[in-house]
Amino acid sequence: MGKFYQALEKSKNQKDKEMPSDVLKSSVSSTTDLLVVKHPDFSATEYFRFLRSKIIHPAHGKPPRTIMVTSALRGDGKTFVAANLAACIALGMNEHVLLLDCDLRAPSLCKFFGIDEKREGLSSYLTDRSDIAGLLCKTDVSKLTLLPGGKSINNPAELLSSEKMQHLISEVRNRYPDRFVILDTSPLELTSETSVLINQVDGALMVVQYGKTPRKLAKSAIEQIGKKKLLGIVFNGYEKPMRKYMHYGYGYGYGYGKDEKMRR
């Protein structure tokens, strides 16, 4: 794991001109799909700032350092939320973020950062095909490092429930007190590996597509996460402030105004 931390330190402390060529090649060239970067004045961006505040400064206890972002079904917006939340936290004063693409069946975080979607990533590390130091991507968002999912694989449940994955999450959580780790995972109601990862993280955010996600499936996914691990529910496309969602805790809604038409 030594090379992994050396790579993280380079991402955290060195300027681009000081980075070795292999790291520079993985540097992000575009953040056009990141709402919080491209449209800082949108009302939806303000919701992400509100969510960041709730995570970094919780009403009780310490802030969660490892945060899973998931949903009941595909198309609910979990990857959009994971990418923008990670960027929003990293844009803060002191916080660093490591963003992990753990949706190994359909990894898609790269597109938000202008990275080649065919590049190697977490799947290569877990199958011992690549050293993790060469897989990390420095992004144009200050203090944000991305570990892509890599090529789609046939046995994600086995890899993500492996001892190697558990050790990775534990190490990145405990090594640096100023780093948040965001995991974009596969939908809870469609796959089995996400329920395993719940036990490895400090908390989870549930993304619901307002008016689309079936209530029964959303409730089932929330129950799988459990009250102790559920940090909140993010309502994708909801244009009014959210106070409470059932009895599970806080809900956070975001949507777009008349002049804020964006792909969700």
Side-chain angles (χ1 to χ4, degrees), residues 96-242:
H96 293 256
V97 179
L98 173 62
L99 179 59
L100 305 181
D101 195 336
C102 298
D103 190 348
L104 300 186
R105 297 174 189 266
S108 56
L109 270 174
C110 283
K111 67 182 180 181
F112 286 90
F113 298 91
I115 297 173
D116 183 2
E117 295 182 41
K118 296 182 180 180
R119 70 168 286 121
E120 299 290 337
L122 179 60
S123 61
S124 297
Y125 169 70
L126 294 177
T127 53
D128 298 317
R129 297 199 308 270
S130 300
D131 183 85
I132 200 165
L135 301 174
L136 295 171
C137 298
K138 186 181 186 299
T139 76
D140 280 345
V141 179
S142 178
K143 302 183 277 129
L144 173 58
T145 301
L146 172 67
L147 176 59
K151 297 179 180 179
S152 179
I153 55 176
N154 296 323
N155 61 334
E158 289 77 6
L159 292 180
L160 292 173
S161 61
S162 67
E163 184 176 345
K164 190 169 186 178
M165 184 63 185
Q166 295 176 28
H167 183 64
L168 172 64
I169 295 175
S170 176
E171 287 294 316
V172 297
R173 180 196 185 281
N174 297 321
R175 178 66 63 162
Y176 304 110
D178 63 345
R179 176 170 285 114
F180 288 84
V181 182
I182 309 293
L183 295 80
D184 177 32
T185 68
S186 55
L188 269 166
E189 292 298 298
L190 299 179
T191 62
S192 60
E193 58 267 21
T194 303
S195 60
V196 176
L197 288 175
I198 291 173
N199 298 321
Q200 310 301 324
V201 298
D202 296 332
L205 287 171
M206 174 72 180
V207 180
V208 174
Q209 177 72 23
Y210 182 73
K212 177 183 176 182
T213 307
R215 181 183 296 269
K216 183 177 180 180
L217 294 182
K219 183 177 180 180
S220 174
I222 291 170
E223 289 173 347
Q224 287 188 60
I225 295 172
K227 296 179 183 179
K228 292 183 178 180
K229 289 294 181 75
L230 185 65
L231 299 175
I233 297 93
V234 178
F235 286 80
N236 180 8
Y238 194 85
E239 298 184 3
K240 297 179 181 180
M242 296 300 299

Side-chain angles (χ1 to χ4, degrees), residues 33-36 39 41-52 69-71 73 75-86 88 112 184 205-213 232-243 245 250-258 260-264:
D33 280 336
L34 288 176
L35 177 73
V36 299
H39 298 285
D41 297 328
F42 274 17
S43 59
T45 298
E46 192 59 33
Y47 279 117
F48 280 108
R49 296 192 186 105
F50 175 76
L51 182 55
R52 174 185 65 187
V69 180
T70 190
S71 61
L73 301 173
D76 288 341
K78 66 177 182 60
T79 301
F80 175 85
V81 171
N84 280 278
L85 175 61
C88 192
F112 286 90
D184 177 32
L205 287 171
M206 174 72 180
V207 180
V208 174
Q209 177 72 23
Y210 182 73
K212 177 183 176 182
T213 307
I233 297 93
V234 178
F235 286 80
N236 180 8
Y238 194 85
E239 298 184 3
K240 297 179 181 180
M242 296 300 299
R243 294 293 184 182
Y245 182 83
Y250 288 103
Y252 312 100
Y254 71 89
Y256 301 101
K258 296 179 181 178
E260 301 179 0
K261 299 300 181 182
M262 297 275 294
R263 177 171 56 81
R264 296 173 184 172

Side-chain angles (χ1 to χ4, degrees), residues 13-26:
N13 297 322
Q14 291 188 327
K15 296 180 180 179
D16 285 352
K17 64 181 181 180
E18 299 173 334
M19 301 289 272
S21 59
D22 60 333
V23 176
L24 282 174
K25 288 179 181 178
S26 66

